[in-house]
Amino acid sequence: MNARTHWEHVYATRSPTQVSWYQEQAQLSLQLMQRAGVSPAARVIDVGGGASTLVDGLVAAGFQDVTVLDISGAALQLARQRLGPAAAGVTWVEADVTEVALPGQAYDVWHDRAVFHFLARPADRQRYADAVRHAVRKGGHVIIATFALDGPERCSGLETVRYDPGSLHGELGAGFMLVDHAHETHRTPSGGEQAFLYGYFRRL
């Protein structure tokens, strides 16, 4: 089963509030953007944003240029339905982040919660880092949330890669500066706990 088929199956068999990474509000992501001084005029891309509620928070805060990218068309459709008329003001991209051709230097903020840790193959992680380097303007902000070192080794039937701030920075490479990081204990809809690491980087 390829990645697209896997994630389409996940969203076909579970509601967005049943997947383990579901958040009612993307509070820490929004807080990190505020700390970074990101204004509603910023161009934001939420990678793997699918059914995430981050887009709701951004729209509510007045952001006008938001792109949501996800490999699952079903997940994007769920988010569009949830947003209602406000969805018309968001750009929706159905694509695999390791394969998509994004515009160069187009975004002020790259956000990803719970995509990067599913990239078990080094070649996929390299393509991801290349996509960030290509798509984010110099001086732009990159926020990536992955499982921390004490996070799950598997999730949704897939192997994961766990990180600390240094190893996550190492995956992005020398073109990025680690500005800040935070840890979050995420409580899943089923009552379990998952340890997340949030890394905030500046594109050099």
Side-chain angles (χ1 to χ4, degrees):
M1 184 183 296
N2 64 30
R4 185 181 302 277
T5 302
H6 175 85
W7 292 113
E8 292 289 17
H9 176 73
V10 167
Y11 283 102
T13 55
R14 287 186 253 172
S15 76
T17 59
Q18 291 176 320
V19 295
S20 65
W21 54 91
Y22 171 74
Q23 294 177 303
E24 187 173 341
Q25 294 180 319
Q27 292 181 338
L28 185 50
S29 295
L30 292 168
Q31 289 170 6
L32 285 170
M33 289 187 194
Q34 290 173 350
R35 287 184 212 168
V38 175
S39 77
R43 299 162 295 173
V44 180
I45 183 168
D46 186 19
V47 173
S52 164
T53 57
L54 177 64
V55 64
D56 305 61
L58 293 172
V59 169
F63 283 74
Q64 299 293 316
D65 193 339
V66 179
T67 297
V68 179
L69 181 151
D70 202 280
I71 197 171
S72 169
L76 293 172
Q77 182 59 24
L78 289 166
R80 283 195 292 261
Q81 291 172 347
R82 189 182 66 238
L83 279 177
V90 176
T91 300
W92 306 93
V93 179
E94 181 181 343
D96 183 334
V97 67
T98 66
E99 299 175 355
V100 66
L102 293 170
Q105 310 292 300
Y107 303 104
D108 302 300
V109 181
W110 176 290
H111 176 270
D112 160 14
R113 179 181 180 273
V115 171
F116 191 69
H117 60 220
F118 284 115
L119 302 182
R121 296 188 303 177
D124 286 339
R125 296 197 294 272
Q126 183 60 57
R127 283 192 288 268
Y128 179 105
D130 290 343
V132 180
R133 191 173 296 106
H134 171 75
V136 179
R137 68 167 178 82
K138 291 187 177 181
H141 312 278
V142 178
I143 297 170
I144 300 176
T146 71
F147 286 145
L149 292 181
D150 53 344
E153 295 181 1
R154 294 185 66 84
C155 182
S156 294
L158 298 177
E159 177 187 355
T160 67
V161 183
R162 300 174 296 171
Y163 294 94
D164 61 18
S167 60
L168 185 57
H169 187 197
E171 293 288 348
L172 288 178
F176 300 86
M177 177 176 67
L178 176 61
V179 179
D180 197 3
H181 69 274
H183 287 84
E184 176 184 62
T185 301
H186 168 65
R187 185 168 291 278
T188 70
S190 63
E193 292 186 346
Q194 295 177 335
F196 271 82
L197 165 74
Y198 284 68
Y200 162 43
F201 305 88
R202 183 71 56 82
R203 169 81 162 87
L204 300 177

